[in-house]
Amino acid sequence: MTLGLVLALAAGTYAMRLAGPLLRDRFRVSEHGRRLLSTAALTLLAAFVAVSACYESGSFAGWPRLAGVLVGGVLAWRGAPFVVVVIAAAGFTAALRALL
């Protein structure tokens, strides 16, 4: 049962990734449409980050997590290497949890 579900998800993922290159020449998206899709993707990502940072199991996750995500976001925005972003965010969160 589990193997079947994993294979079905793998096939669906592969089909979605394959659809882009195969359908690229069949559809034309205007420049306005491209900007709109880009903005929509960033909006969905920001909403996901906000919800993941603020809530865990239906309740508020706490200020340390929110502050750690904020530190990681600022470092990523400033162009810090991924490893630095992750370690700084985790370290800041852990330090705040230890203090509180």
Side-chain angles (χ1 to χ4, degrees):
M1 172 90 174
T2 304
L3 180 62
L5 290 174
V6 170
L7 291 175
L9 286 172
T13 301
Y14 182 73
M16 291 296 286
R17 291 186 58 90
L18 186 63
L22 290 178
L23 297 176
R24 178 177 296 143
D25 295 332
R26 298 184 89 188
F27 295 101
R28 297 283 179 223
V29 180
S30 67
E31 186 60 34
H32 176 70
R34 288 177 196 250
R35 283 194 311 262
L36 188 62
L37 287 173
S38 177
T39 302
L42 287 174
T43 303
L44 285 173
L45 179 62
F48 175 73
V49 168
V51 169
S52 297
C54 293
Y55 295 102
E56 181 178 339
S57 301
S59 61
F60 183 61
W63 292 107
R65 181 191 285 185
L66 190 58
V69 169
L70 182 63
V71 167
V74 168
L75 288 174
W77 176 58
R78 301 287 299 179
F82 180 73
V83 174
V84 173
V85 171
V86 171
I87 291 173
F92 191 77
T93 302
L96 280 180
R97 285 183 178 163
L99 291 174
L100 299 177

